[in-house]
Amino acid sequence: MIRRRKLSTALLVVMLCGIGTSSHAHVPLIAGELVEIEQPDISHALYGTIVAPDDVFVIRLAYDEPFALPFEILVPRRKGLEDHRPAFAVVGPGLPPPLPEHADLLPRSIPDGQGVFLEANDASERLLIFESFTRRVFWSSGPIALALPAGEFEVWIFSPEGTTGDFVLGFGVEEDFSSAGCGGLLEDWSTYAY
């Protein structure tokens, strides 16, 4: 009986890892100075830490046709991050010029012929969510879906108030179960979950 249970458990683990080899529903990424996204429609989570008040992280996205893309910025609900409210700006063609009150918040000038959408993450009440993938509680800016025209876009993540700390930028739509595996998920799990 015990041998049969061990065999059943081992078979279940192998099956789950086999299924996992075709899964990357929430593609976890580590923020660097510049991150290029090859499949912007897939659901991504960009994990990063603002270390210096003037840090700016940049994501590049390109679309061949118009696309509605949801964005949301999260901050882990932990002591010391209560006042940390990183913002993000989507910069590209077909977006409006910055509002005068937003222009001073932006970390860079908007290139000629481009506009911006700014999520300043400054609502007096912050949404609190439980994120089931990492099993953690986060403060959220709230999800926002932007209708973007075809073209190349940048997303800037920065802290208008100069605060430092961790953040996660969630973006994308489709849950793609085609290439990442159980081993890859477990390999870096402590980076993302604990």
Side-chain angles (χ1 to χ4, degrees):
M1 180 74 165
I2 293 175
R3 186 170 188 226
R4 182 179 223 164
R5 185 176 294 158
K6 286 182 179 179
L7 181 59
S8 296
T9 302
L11 184 57
L12 178 62
V13 168
V14 168
M15 286 175 31
L16 288 174
C17 285
I19 290 168
T21 59
S22 63
S23 169
H24 69 275
H26 299 286
V27 178
L29 304 166
I30 303 299
E33 193 171 305
L34 172 65
V35 176
E36 302 236 9
I37 304 298
E38 293 182 17
Q39 294 178 293
D41 54 328
I42 292 175
S43 179
H44 292 78
L46 180 79
Y47 293 79
T49 303
I50 295 173
V51 178
D54 60 348
D55 280 352
V56 179
F57 297 93
V58 178
I59 301 171
R60 284 203 183 130
L61 313 165
Y63 294 99
D64 295 330
E65 54 189 64
F67 191 79
L69 187 67
F71 292 92
E72 178 176 23
I73 196 152
L74 307 170
V75 171
R77 185 175 182 223
R78 304 195 288 255
K79 186 176 179 169
L81 294 179
E82 299 89 348
D83 297 325
H84 183 49
R85 291 178 174 243
F88 68 88
V90 180
V91 179
L95 296 173
L99 298 172
E101 62 269 21
H102 290 165
D104 291 338
L105 297 177
L106 295 170
R108 300 177 175 174
S109 298
I110 304 299
D112 289 339
Q114 298 195 8
V116 64
F117 169 84
L118 173 67
E119 168 52 73
N121 195 11
D122 59 358
S124 59
E125 293 288 323
R126 287 203 283 183
L127 180 65
L128 195 60
I129 67 161
F130 175 76
E131 202 285 315
S132 61
F133 182 72
T134 59
R135 300 177 2 156
R136 296 288 176 259
V137 177
F138 290 88
W139 286 295
S140 168
S141 63
I144 297 169
L146 294 179
L148 301 174
E152 295 183 7
F153 295 85
E154 287 190 349
V155 181
W156 303 340
I157 301 129
F158 60 99
S159 176
E161 300 296 322
T163 59
T164 59
D166 297 336
F167 70 86
V168 180
L169 181 72
F171 61 99
V173 177
E174 297 297 323
E175 303 293 341
D176 182 356
F177 296 96
S178 65
S179 70
C182 179
L185 177 64
L186 297 177
E187 180 180 337
D188 293 325
W189 184 248
S190 64
T191 301
Y192 309 113
Y194 298 101

